[in-house]
Amino acid sequence: MLNYILMQSFEFLDLILFLGISQGVFLAITIQMLKHKNKSANKMLSIILLVAVVMLLGRMIYFRFLTPTMFRWTILIDAVIFIFGPLCYTYLRRLAFSNSDNYKLSWFHYIPVILHIGFFIYSMSFSMNVYSEKVSNGVFATPFLGIEGGGILSNFYYWYLSIQLIRKYKKEEKNRVSFKQNLVSFLTFFQISVGVFLIIWLISFIAGNFFNYSFYPIGYDTLWGGISIFIFVIGYYSLKEPELFRIPLYVEKPKPIQQRLPEKEIIAIQKGLQHVIEEEKIFLKMNLTLRDLSERLDTSTHNISWYLNQVSKSSFYDYINHYRIKEFLKKIENNEHIHHTILALSMDVGFNSKSTFNKAFKLEMNDTPSNYIKRLQVA
């Protein structure tokens, strides 16, 4: 009968945790073997994956092998809730920004985890009987409450910083990249998902500790198990996605006397752009960047960006896509859409995804591609 109960105790959750642990270790090792990718960012990602493995190990111990002795050790494992936020922020910083290869947060960002470890050492100073008695009498209730509350605040803080990083990246990206990067959309989705996890955790924390209401099975353990497994999605995504085009985090601002280029240089850029756009049709290059264009015109990325923003009143992204749409319209006029799909034609003119093309077309023509073609046929 006992053997039957033990067999039944190994449930679906155990399988999920076991698979998560093994996949986390596998990904952490595999990512380090990737070539021609952002090594510094991948190093941080491997560390985050291993932290997720530690958290899942802690949940497995808690769910299936919990004893008073193991309970004390899970306190140490829970220190990772104070590491998760700083590591994710550092990973994002290294991944997206070219001047952050060796970026590290200052030591004071890890004060919460140091205090947590200090509390663990303090709890270990008691004998098992004394420790169990103190837990039963609620002596550690306030520290446990503070640890979880501090973990929530800490993760919200670094989640907010990560959201701000993505916003900065997106703002500058339009001035440097002419194509949609799937990884940016994925990172945004990931941050939104983490935000949802944190909000649920906060609600569960408040309800359980201040209103004595349980959202079982939703709670601290299941939420962090979910977050840990969700982190592995990033690992697999990084294996197949091309490297994110990195941009400077802090763009040097020119001195006041340099805010306007000399007239001669403005004319040179204007003529250069006219040549590479109209003659060479450089915009047909799907992964065209501001750096490519500046090298072709033998000038700096700052000069090109200044010209586009101040003279053309456009971002690099919108400027290039304007000509791509014009080229697409020529193909429609030549009836190429009869023999080719709209997606194929959009790829021919330099777009790398259907969503990017549709968005650019709507912005340029105030209509969808399919409706535009239908209106031409009616006319």
Side-chain angles (χ1 to χ4, degrees):
M1 182 66 179
L2 178 60
N3 290 334
Y4 175 77
I5 294 173
L6 288 174
M7 288 178 65
Q8 288 299 309
S9 68
F10 189 84
E11 297 174 353
F12 181 69
L13 180 60
D14 299 272
L15 180 61
I16 293 296
L17 291 173
F18 176 76
L19 290 175
I21 291 167
S22 59
Q23 290 304 301
V25 174
F26 166 76
L27 285 170
I29 296 172
T30 304
I31 286 171
Q32 289 304 301
M33 298 178 181
L34 294 178
K35 296 181 179 180
H36 311 299
K37 283 205 172 187
N38 190 334
K39 294 289 185 181
S40 61
N42 283 341
K43 181 179 179 180
M44 292 306 304
L45 180 56
S46 290
I47 294 174
I48 293 171
L49 287 165
L50 291 177
V51 165
V53 166
V54 171
M55 177 56 79
L56 289 179
L57 277 171
R59 296 315 96 201
M60 178 173 279
I61 291 171
Y62 191 86
F63 287 135
R64 291 289 171 244
F65 310 106
L66 190 63
T67 63
T69 300
M70 294 305 295
F71 179 76
R72 283 210 283 189
W73 282 100
T74 58
I75 295 175
L76 178 61
I77 292 175
D78 283 347
V80 300
I81 69 174
F82 296 107
I83 301 176
F84 176 75
L87 289 181
C88 285
Y89 176 79
T90 303
Y91 166 68
L92 185 59
R93 183 87 174 251
R94 290 186 178 189
L95 177 71
F97 299 100
S98 57
N99 46 2
S100 299
D101 279 337
N102 299 313
Y103 177 79
K104 294 179 182 178
L105 287 169
S106 301
W107 66 271
F108 60 81
H109 287 271
Y110 298 97
I111 289 178
V113 73
I114 294 172
L115 293 175
H116 185 93
I117 293 173
F119 172 72
F120 166 74
I121 294 173
Y122 168 72
S123 70
M124 294 295 286
S125 66
F126 300 104
S127 67
M128 196 64 247
N129 290 334
V130 173
Y131 175 77
S132 297
E133 184 179 346
K134 286 182 177 292
V135 171
S136 299
N137 293 334
V139 174
F140 291 138
T142 299
F144 289 155
L145 183 69
I147 287 171
E148 186 172 358
I152 292 173
L153 292 176
S154 172
N155 280 282
F156 263 116
Y157 173 70
Y158 291 103
W159 174 80
Y160 171 77
L161 292 182
S162 297
I163 289 292
Q164 293 301 106
L165 268 187
I166 292 176
R167 285 179 177 174
K168 286 181 181 179
Y169 184 89
K170 285 183 175 180
K171 183 178 179 180
E172 186 60 27
E173 181 190 33
K174 293 197 73 174
N175 284 323
R176 294 179 176 272
V177 184
S178 70
F179 54 95
K180 182 179 180 180
Q181 300 182 94
N182 292 332
L183 188 53
V184 177
S185 299
F186 176 76
L187 289 173
T188 303
F189 167 75
F190 175 74
Q191 289 301 325
I192 292 173
S193 301
V194 169
V196 171
F197 275 117
L198 293 179
I199 291 171
I200 295 174
W201 183 16
L202 176 62
I203 294 173
S204 174
F205 172 76
I206 294 174
N209 290 284
F210 298 100
F211 297 96
N212 199 29
Y213 183 84
S214 174
F215 284 98
Y216 184 83
I218 297 174
Y220 174 84
D221 297 303
T222 52
L223 282 171
W224 272 101
I227 289 174
S228 300
I229 292 173
F230 196 58
I231 291 171
F232 300 153
V233 178
I234 290 185
Y236 277 109
Y237 202 81
S238 67
L239 292 177
K240 72 182 188 66
E241 275 298 306
E243 186 176 0
L244 185 68
F245 181 81
R246 303 166 76 208
I247 62 178
L249 177 58
Y250 302 108
V251 181
E252 293 185 6
K253 294 184 179 180
K255 298 177 182 179
I257 58 173
Q258 296 178 326
Q259 285 187 356
R260 179 176 175 84
L261 293 174
E263 191 66 28
K264 183 178 180 181
E265 194 160 354
I266 291 176
I267 294 173
I269 292 176
Q270 184 180 34
K271 290 183 178 179
L273 280 174
Q274 185 177 1
H275 176 75
V276 297
I277 292 293
E278 296 181 4
E279 301 297 327
E280 298 182 8
K281 295 189 176 182
I282 195 172
F283 57 83
L284 297 179
K285 182 180 179 182
M286 190 174 289
N287 58 346
L288 181 67
T289 65
L290 184 67
R291 186 186 302 158
D292 297 331
L293 192 58
S294 65
E295 289 175 355
R296 183 65 189 83
L297 297 180
D298 195 24
T299 187
S300 68
T301 56
H302 170 72
N303 287 345
I304 298 292
S305 183
W306 182 91
Y307 176 86
L308 294 176
N309 292 333
Q310 301 301 321
V311 179
S312 294
K313 304 298 180 183
S314 176
S315 67
F316 174 69
Y317 178 88
D318 292 333
Y319 179 82
I320 295 299
N321 285 338
H322 165 74
Y323 286 97
R324 287 172 174 168
I325 294 299
K326 285 182 65 176
E327 189 70 16
F328 175 82
L329 294 177
K330 290 180 182 177
K331 290 181 176 293
I332 298 301
E333 291 174 4
N334 294 331
N335 293 322
E336 292 186 34
H337 61 285
I338 297 175
H339 306 289
H340 303 281
T341 64
I342 292 178
L343 179 60
L345 295 180
S346 69
M347 295 289 186
D348 285 345
V349 299
F351 288 100
N352 73 329
S353 71
K354 182 179 180 180
S355 60
T356 305
F357 166 67
N358 287 337
K359 182 179 178 181
F361 192 94
K362 180 76 173 180
L363 184 66
E364 186 77 20
M365 306 300 297
N366 196 30
D367 200 356
T368 64
S370 56
N371 283 340
Y372 176 82
I373 293 174
K374 287 179 182 178
R375 287 195 294 106
L376 282 182
Q377 292 173 342
V378 171

